[in-house]
Amino acid sequence: MNPDIVAEEAGVMADIQGLLITGGPVVWILCLFSLIALTIVLVKVWQLVALRAESSKVVSGALEQWRAGKGRDAVDQLDDAHPVAAVVKCAMLGRMDKVNDLLLREEVERIASARLNDLRSFFRPLELIGALSPLLGLLGTVMGMIVAFQQMEAAGSQVDPSVLSGGIWQALLTTAVGMAVAIPVVAAHAWLERKTERVAALMSDSVTRVFTSPMPASGSWSKTAADAGDRNAA
């Protein structure tokens, strides 16, 4: 490896270690917050990608089959792992079993709520990290300023401006770190919230289309809507 690159990387690591030591425990806490937030964001992105939560292609195809009177074919297209498909499947099975519309709507709302709560899991820690990080940074700044002015008071008339300015920039470091942690966390939280809202809107639109479309003239169905709902929720 190029010696210049090695020396540059060593210098960067030394600078990071220096900032951590200078910032004190507040910066260490903020670094821990950033690691937790990054882990949560990666897990939620993987969940959205794995479930294809916003994909409407399969659901749209099933709804086309449903409107064409092919209820069995429509249900067979839907995958229980997909949150929107699971809710639509519950509504279709309930209508085919001639379940009371009021009871069926309550069951569909229960399944939809369970699926959305699963998508919203770990949102609260992200929200807390985004709110607490600037406050922790400000706390570190205030504590650093107190120490700097105590040093200035102890020096009396022999105050060294460089000592005071050095203490102030060290104190402001924690605020900068707090903002650097909070800004991307708040942005990621808002983005994930928007994704979940779009899934909820897709659920509502798809289920409404199931209830407003004529029920397929098919035979009895072996599964009840409640059984399908419990399986989907699990």
Side-chain angles (χ1 to χ4, degrees), residues 65-184:
Q65 294 285 341
W66 178 262
R67 284 196 295 268
K70 302 176 181 179
R72 293 177 183 271
D73 294 337
V75 171
D76 289 341
Q77 290 185 23
L78 299 173
D79 182 9
D80 291 340
H82 190 282
V84 180
V87 175
V88 173
K89 186 174 183 177
C90 176
M92 288 182 176
L93 289 174
R95 293 210 69 196
M96 294 179 70
D97 283 342
K98 302 186 186 307
V99 176
N100 180 272
D101 279 356
L102 181 60
L103 296 177
L104 179 58
R105 288 180 184 275
E106 291 182 357
E107 178 66 9
V108 169
E109 289 178 3
R110 182 182 71 84
I111 303 303
S113 177
R115 292 299 180 127
L116 291 175
N117 285 336
D118 183 56
L119 291 177
R120 292 192 180 103
S121 60
F122 299 109
F123 278 15
R124 186 51 60 100
L126 276 183
E127 185 178 356
L128 288 176
I129 290 173
L132 290 179
S133 293
L135 297 178
L136 278 173
L138 182 60
L139 175 62
T141 296
V142 171
M143 294 174 61
M145 295 291 288
I146 291 174
V147 172
F149 282 107
Q150 284 178 338
Q151 293 175 349
M152 185 176 67
E153 181 184 16
S157 60
Q158 304 297 324
V159 177
D160 187 353
S162 64
V163 174
L164 180 60
S165 60
I168 292 176
W169 85 259
Q170 291 174 2
L172 293 175
L173 174 64
T174 58
T175 295
V177 175
M179 293 294 183
V181 173
I183 291 173

Side-chain angles (χ1 to χ4, degrees), residues 48 52-55 82-84 115-116 119 193-206:
L48 290 172
R52 296 175 291 110
E54 291 185 276
S55 175
H82 190 282
V84 180
R115 292 299 180 127
L116 291 175
L119 291 177
E193 279 280 11
R194 177 55 183 161
K195 290 287 186 181
T196 306
E197 290 174 359
R198 292 179 65 179
V199 173
L202 182 58
M203 281 183 181
S204 177
D205 177 72
S206 301

Side-chain angles (χ1 to χ4, degrees), residues 23-48:
V26 172
V27 172
W28 285 97
I29 294 173
L30 290 171
C31 288
L32 178 61
F33 277 5
S34 66
L35 290 176
I36 294 173
L38 178 61
T39 302
I40 292 174
V41 171
L42 292 177
V43 169
K44 299 309 294 183
V45 170
W46 175 83
Q47 182 185 30
L48 290 172

